Amino acid sequence: MTDGAPGADARDRERDELLGTLARHRSFLGQTLNGLSDEQAGASPTVSELCLGGLIKHTGNTERVWIDFCVRGAEAHGPAVDWSTIDWSDPGATPGAAEMFERRAREFAMLPEDTVAGVLADYAAVAEETKRIVTGLADLGVTHELPSAPWFEPGASWSIRRVLLHVLAETAQHAGHADILRESIDGAKTMG
C-alpha cells in the first residue's frame, strides 16, 4: 500500500511491523485457551481473580476502545467520569460509577453465556477490525486528546502510533499473565 508520497514505503513498513507484532502477541494470548473447556477458561487458579477467558475478553475490549479512539478521539472512551466524586471506599455508590465498575467486572469474567469459542471469535473480530482501521489510516502521527482520568496527565494527547504501542504492550503483558494462569490450570506453557 504505497501512496507515492516520499516516505510512504517507510510508513507502510512501520504500520506492517506494528500490526504484525501485535498479531504475534495476540496469538500467544489466544493460544493459552487451546484445548480448555469453558469451565477451565473461567477458573481462577492463582491468588488473583483473573481467569483466561476474562483476560482475553478484557484485552479485546481494551483494544477495541483504543482503536476506536484512533478514529473518534476521547469520546470512544464513553461519557466523562468525574473521578473526584468517586467514594473509593464504596465506588459503586457513586452515581454513574456503579455501571462502569460492573461492566469492568463482567469484562474480566467468563459469564454463563461465554464460551471459549465465542471469546476467541470476538477477539479475532477485534483483530480484523484493528487491521482494517489501522491499514486505512493515512498518518500514524495524528493525535487526539486523552479522556479525563487520574492516570492521564491533564490535556495530554496520544498519537495513533502511541496508541498502537500501548495496545501492543497491554497485549504482551496480558499474554504473560495468561501463561501463568494456563500453567496453573494444567501445566501447559505457551512458549516452553
Side-chain angles (χ1 to χ4, degrees), residues 43-153:
S44 298
T46 67
V47 296
S48 168
E49 292 181 10
L50 292 176
C51 69
L52 284 171
L55 199 54
I56 291 173
K57 284 172 51 179
H58 163 71
T59 306
N61 187 60
T62 298
E63 181 174 330
R64 181 181 285 121
V65 169
W66 277 111
I67 297 305
D68 192 25
F69 171 86
C70 291
V71 176
R72 297 188 312 131
E75 71 183 61
H77 286 268
V81 174
D82 183 353
W83 296 97
S84 66
T85 65
I86 295 178
D87 173 2
W88 290 102
S89 66
D90 185 12
T94 306
E99 297 82 18
M100 177 183 62
F101 289 111
E102 175 60 29
R103 187 175 55 251
R104 187 161 171 80
R106 292 173 60 80
E107 180 180 295
F108 275 100
M110 278 291 278
L111 303 173
E113 64 269 18
D114 290 332
T115 63
V116 168
V119 166
L120 290 174
D122 185 60
Y123 198 41
V126 169
E128 282 303 311
E129 185 69 358
T130 294
K131 183 178 179 180
R132 184 188 70 74
I133 288 172
V134 171
T135 300
L137 295 171
D139 182 2
L140 299 182
V142 170
T143 63
H144 296 290
E145 189 171 328
L146 293 168
S148 175
W151 44 88
F152 296 133
E153 183 180 329

Side-chain angles (χ1 to χ4, degrees), residues 167-181:
V167 169
L168 176 55
E170 175 105 359
T171 303
Q173 179 181 20
H174 289 321
H177 295 146
D179 277 340
I180 292 167
L181 293 171

Side-chain angles (χ1 to χ4, degrees), residues 146-163:
L146 293 168
S148 175
W151 44 88
F152 296 133
E153 183 180 329
S157 296
W158 279 7
S159 68
I160 293 169
R161 178 179 297 103
R162 174 67 182 90
V163 169

